Structures are given as structure tokens and as C-alpha cells.
């Protein structure tokens, strides 16, 4: 899959996702990164987030929240995925669970307290927008 070329359309612009842009693969989708944009292309189109849900998520307009931006279509105009901004130099939250990581990176209890407060504020913001976080786990929070 990673080496196959995939011709897609985003905002009526055609582009090719191939082995050079391939970043990772999971159970539901392949991830490509190109020019600061993540392209999540589902293995099965019917598993993709509904287009109307992407529109709803645009209400969550906070700079520290990654949301789907644009829809990806194949060349037959079938919806197959979405784009997001690519953020460099992040780690999943679970990395912070290790004392050795704290020591290696000069992390203090105050740093963790500040991070926890920011997470609480962000979750409250999402709930205030009448959205529900359905996959709240330590791999879906990037630090």
C-alpha cells in the first residue's frame, strides 16, 4: 500500500500520494504527509468520518486542537478521507508517564501541572462547543 501511487483530489486540486509522502499506516487508514498537510486515506471509504461531521468539528477553533480540514476524494469523486495540519516535534502524552523521560527532558511537577490545566481547559472548551470526545486516550494528546 505504501508504495502504490494514489491520485486524489482536495479542493478540486489533483495530487499524488505515494511512497515519498507515506508516513504511517493503521487499522483504518494510511497517513501521508506532504507540504505540512496530513492526508488520512481510509482503507474502506465507508469507515471515513462523515463529511457533515467534519463541518461540525470546524466549530472547535482552538489552536491547540487538530481537526479535519478538507475532504479527500478519489478521481471518481468518491470521498475517501480528510486532511489535517501536520504538527512537527510532538510526542504522545504517554511519554510523560516515565520518570526517566522527566529527568532526560528537565520536566518538573510544575510543568505537568501546567499541562494538566491546559488539558482541562481544552476539554472544557470542546464540551462548551457541544462536542463529545470519543477517543480520549494518551496517544491522542500530543505534547
Amino acid at each position: 500500500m505504501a508504495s502504490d501511487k494514489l491520485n486524489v483530489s482536495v479542493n478540486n486540486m489533483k495530487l499524488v500520494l505515494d511512497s515519498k509522502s507515506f508516513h504511517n499506516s493503521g487499522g483504518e487508514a494510511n497517513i501521508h504527509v506532504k507540504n505540512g498537510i496530513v492526508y488520512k486515506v481510509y482503507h474502506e471509504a465507508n469507515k471515513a468520518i462523515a463529511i457533515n461531521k467534519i463541518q461540525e468539528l470546524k466549530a472547535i477553533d482552538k489552536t491547540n486542537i487538530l481537526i479535519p480540514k478538507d475532504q479527500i476524494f478519489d478521481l471518481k469523486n468518491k470521498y475517501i478521507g480528510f486532511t489535517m495540519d501536520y504538527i512537527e516535534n510532538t510526542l504522545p502524552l504517554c511519554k510523560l508517564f516515565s520518570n526517566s523521560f522527566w529527568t532526560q527532558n528537565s520536566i518538573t511537577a510544575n510543568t505537568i501541572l501546567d499541562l494538566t490545566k491546559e488539558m482541562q481547559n481544552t476539554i472544557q472548551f470542546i464540551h462548551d462547543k457541544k462536542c463529545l470526545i470519543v477517543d480520549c486516550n494518551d496517544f491522542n494528546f500530543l505534547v
Side-chain angles (χ1 to χ4, degrees), residues 32-69:
H32 289 263
V33 177
K34 198 171 194 172
N35 300 323
I37 302 293
V38 171
Y39 298 86
K40 183 170 185 175
V41 179
Y42 285 82
H43 303 307
E44 298 176 41
N46 64 333
K47 304 268 181 164
I49 295 173
I51 290 175
N52 64 335
K53 178 56 75 177
I54 291 174
Q55 295 305 316
E56 289 175 17
L57 290 171
K58 288 185 178 186
I60 306 174
D61 56 350
K62 192 164 171 34
T63 58
N64 67 335
I65 301 173
L66 291 172
I67 59 168
K69 293 188 114 174

Side-chain angles (χ1 to χ4, degrees), residues 4-143:
D4 295 342
K5 288 185 178 182
L6 179 62
N7 295 298
V8 299
S9 173
V10 177
N11 291 327
N12 294 317
M13 294 178 53
K14 292 182 177 19
L15 66 127
V16 176
L17 302 175
D18 57 18
S19 61
K20 291 179 186 173
S21 63
F22 181 78
H23 186 69
N24 209 336
S25 184
E28 291 188 340
N30 285 341
I31 304 296
H32 289 263
V33 177
K34 198 171 194 172
N35 300 323
I37 302 293
V38 171
Y39 298 86
K40 183 170 185 175
V41 179
Y42 285 82
H43 303 307
E44 298 176 41
N46 64 333
K47 304 268 181 164
I49 295 173
I51 290 175
N52 64 335
K53 178 56 75 177
I54 291 174
Q55 295 305 316
E56 289 175 17
L57 290 171
K58 288 185 178 186
I60 306 174
D61 56 350
K62 192 164 171 34
T63 58
N64 67 335
I65 301 173
L66 291 172
I67 59 168
K69 293 188 114 174
D70 297 306
Q71 297 84 37
I72 302 172
F73 297 91
D74 67 13
L75 296 186
K76 294 179 182 176
N77 208 33
K78 181 178 180 182
Y79 169 63
I80 58 172
F82 60 86
T83 68
M84 300 174 75
D85 290 331
Y86 178 70
I87 307 298
E88 292 189 51
N89 302 318
T90 62
L91 297 168
L93 179 65
C94 59
K95 285 280 195 176
L96 296 176
F97 298 167
S98 158
N99 286 335
S100 62
F101 187 82
W102 282 35
T103 303
Q104 292 168 358
N105 293 281
S106 303
I107 295 173
T108 66
N110 282 339
T111 303
I112 299 301
L113 181 61
D114 291 344
L115 176 62
T116 302
K117 287 177 183 176
E118 183 61 29
M119 289 175 67
Q120 289 173 325
N121 290 337
T122 299
I123 291 169
Q124 185 62 54
F125 176 85
I126 293 168
H127 289 164
D128 289 346
K129 295 290 185 173
K130 306 293 186 230
C131 289
L132 179 65
I133 303 172
V134 295
D135 194 7
C136 191
N137 71 64
D138 53 332
F139 284 101
N140 286 338
F141 287 91
L142 302 176
V143 181

